[in-house]
Amino acid sequence: MYKCGTSWLLHTLAAHPAVIAWREFDPILASCQRDYRKHRWPLLAFDYICRRADRKSWMNRRESLLDKPRKQVFEDTFLGRGWIPLMGEELQQKALSLVDLPSEEILDRLLDWSGTSVRRSDAPLIDPAKHTKALGYVNFRRADLIQLMEDVRSVSTGRSAALSFYEASAGQTQANTLVAYKAADQLPNLATLRKIAPATTALVIIRDGRDAAISAGHFEALMREKEAPWQVARTSISRRLLGWAVRAAKLAQHAQAGEVLVIRYEDLRTNFPGICRTLFRKLAIDASARVIETIEQQTEFNRVNTQLPNGEEAPHITRRGLVGEWREEFTVNQARRMWSLAAPQLRDFGYGEHGEIGPSSLVLAPEP
């Protein structure tokens, strides 16, 4: 769930000695696009005007994906806005001009512009016990990354391109390694993910939607300031909360069907060891107190969130991560309006009208 603690959860998984985690990238949306064909416009317009978070037809239409043209798949996967991101609109446009060059030359130019490098082609496979942070394209072996670029160029469908990414990145690690991927708004694509990789365990972290909506506004403003490749359109806080509610309604369906594991951000903040024990046992990896204590020391929220001296806050994608921030930000009337927009979905996950947090059968309970 977008702006619900996905970065912190990824760091937590990355710090486990049996897990390799890759930085955020969504190969499905790099390869596929929402179905906005003309014959669907009346339905989509009706959904927009008369939207209700719990209406299944709306959610099902939002999950309909079409393959992008092959050239666009390659552009969106590699050229400035994908797996090898470039900050700044000018560099992103320069990257798009490379699309017809040989893959090896494209890679060399992107690495030069970003001031980075990748691993040697004969480098050893990654040992998860030696890596405690999320990895990125710089951790790919050169020959394997070039081969992935060639594979994405030649596949016949967008879904095949996404599968190529998953296989190539998993292939960078030693055998029997659990590999974690993050896409902060993957929930609407879960049906497609199931088709591509049916053995995947889908793990979702959720947060009070009112806090998530505030966090999203600050994050989106920061990304526009930095000219990041993952900018989103400006929208109101009501629209952001409604987007949370639509996804939360769909998440509740998946959770009730046993198709996802759901962690509540607030539970991770208040009982990190207990939630990790539950999660790690579900994933069949070491859940000992020693391992969890080490992970907590490495990933404590203020360590993940960049801090300046004397406790001053620095602009960062993880921000402050406060629980109940909305109570300080909203007026009384705003709080009432936000509750009316998403009350059923907030209740489903144990969030009360005035900020209280109660039990929910849809989320993992911490072990004692």
Side-chain angles (χ1 to χ4, degrees):
M1 293 280 285
Y2 177 56
K3 302 314 297 175
C4 289
T6 54
S7 294
W8 187 25
L9 180 57
L10 186 72
H11 283 287
T12 298
L13 292 169
H16 195 286
V19 180
I20 281 294
W22 293 98
R23 73 159 182 85
E24 180 166 6
F25 176 60
D26 190 344
I28 293 177
L29 284 188
S31 307
C32 305
Q33 58 194 349
R34 302 286 175 216
D35 186 354
Y36 291 133
R37 289 173 294 182
K38 288 184 178 180
H39 71 273
R40 290 167 50 84
W41 286 358
L43 288 173
L44 293 169
F46 179 78
D47 286 336
Y48 184 85
I49 295 169
C50 303
R51 50 196 181 273
R52 281 181 51 198
D54 56 350
R55 184 149 45 81
K56 294 180 181 179
S57 58
W58 155 261
M59 290 182 284
N60 291 338
R61 280 193 282 274
R62 287 291 297 166
E63 289 191 7
S64 181
L65 297 176
L66 298 174
D67 290 334
K68 291 180 180 178
R70 187 182 300 179
K71 186 174 182 179
Q72 187 181 352
V73 172
F74 186 84
E75 291 176 350
D76 291 350
T77 302
F78 296 110
L79 298 185
R81 293 184 169 89
W83 186 233
I84 308 177
L86 296 172
M87 302 299 285
E89 182 67 26
E90 183 178 348
L91 274 183
Q92 292 161 19
Q93 291 301 316
K94 283 179 65 176
L96 290 174
S97 69
L98 306 177
V99 66
D100 295 321
L101 296 178
S103 295
E104 187 169 4
E105 185 174 348
I106 291 175
L107 178 60
D108 287 338
R109 293 204 190 184
L110 293 175
L111 295 177
D112 179 56
W113 293 342
S114 60
T116 57
S117 61
V118 293
R119 300 168 72 222
R120 302 189 322 269
S121 297
D122 60 351
L125 294 175
I126 296 169
D127 179 355
K130 296 180 180 178
H131 293 270
T132 60
K133 296 182 179 179
L135 307 183
Y137 69 91
V138 297
N139 301 103
F140 254 80
R141 297 191 292 194
R142 178 181 173 86
D144 294 341
L145 185 49
I146 292 172
Q147 184 59 55
L148 173 59
M149 296 172 81
E150 289 296 304
D151 291 343
V152 170
R153 280 187 193 273
S154 61
V155 294
S156 57
T157 68
R159 289 164 177 80
S160 298
L163 180 58
S164 294
F165 172 82
Y166 288 129
E167 291 177 341
S169 53
Q172 302 301 298
T173 66
Q174 294 181 352
N176 302 317
T177 297
L178 190 66
V179 184
Y181 299 94
K182 173 195 169 185
D185 196 21
Q186 189 67 59
L187 193 63
N189 311 328
L190 191 57
T192 299
L193 179 62
R194 292 290 188 202
K195 293 176 182 177
I196 293 172
T200 296
T201 297
L203 175 62
V204 183
I205 185 166
I206 191 170
R207 178 186 188 189
D208 187 314
R210 293 161 291 191
D211 283 336
I214 291 171
S215 181
H218 289 286
F219 173 77
E220 290 158 12
L222 178 61
M223 293 303 99
R224 285 191 293 270
E225 177 186 329
K226 292 181 174 292
E227 295 185 356
W230 40 81
Q231 294 181 41
V232 298
R234 286 180 170 84
T235 188
S236 68
I237 195 167
S238 297
R239 289 287 299 169
R240 290 194 293 269
L241 179 59
L242 183 66
W244 177 94
V246 168
R247 287 156 178 76
K250 190 64 176 174
L251 176 58
Q253 294 179 3
H254 288 301
Q256 290 163 356
E259 297 171 343
V260 294
L261 301 177
V262 185
I263 288 176
R264 199 163 49 183
Y265 170 83
E266 293 81 2
D267 294 335
L268 199 61
R269 289 297 303 266
T270 58
N271 192 349
F272 186 91
I275 290 294
C276 284
R277 271 192 295 275
T278 301
L279 173 61
F280 293 166
R281 285 175 180 165
K282 291 279 187 182
L283 298 176
I285 55 179
D286 190 346
S288 65
R290 176 185 57 82
V291 166
I292 293 174
E293 183 179 358
T294 300
I295 293 173
E296 185 171 20
Q297 291 172 353
Q298 293 172 343
T299 62
E300 191 271 327
F301 191 85
N302 287 334
R303 292 176 182 268
V304 174
N305 188 17
T306 302
Q307 294 289 317
L308 294 175
N310 303 320
E312 295 175 342
E313 293 169 358
H316 191 260
I317 60 170
T318 56
R319 237 182 126 254
R320 295 183 294 169
L322 297 180
V323 173
E325 182 178 9
W326 65 268
R327 287 177 290 183
E328 301 175 4
E329 294 282 333
F330 293 164
T331 66
V332 172
N333 287 337
Q334 282 179 317
R336 288 173 181 163
R337 186 168 70 252
M338 295 303 151
W339 177 253
S340 68
L341 281 176
Q345 292 73 43
L346 288 165
R347 287 197 193 99
D348 280 347
F349 290 95
Y351 299 115
E353 181 176 2
H354 304 292
E356 63 275 18
I357 300 174
S360 169
S361 62
L362 302 179
V363 304
L364 292 182
E367 290 191 12

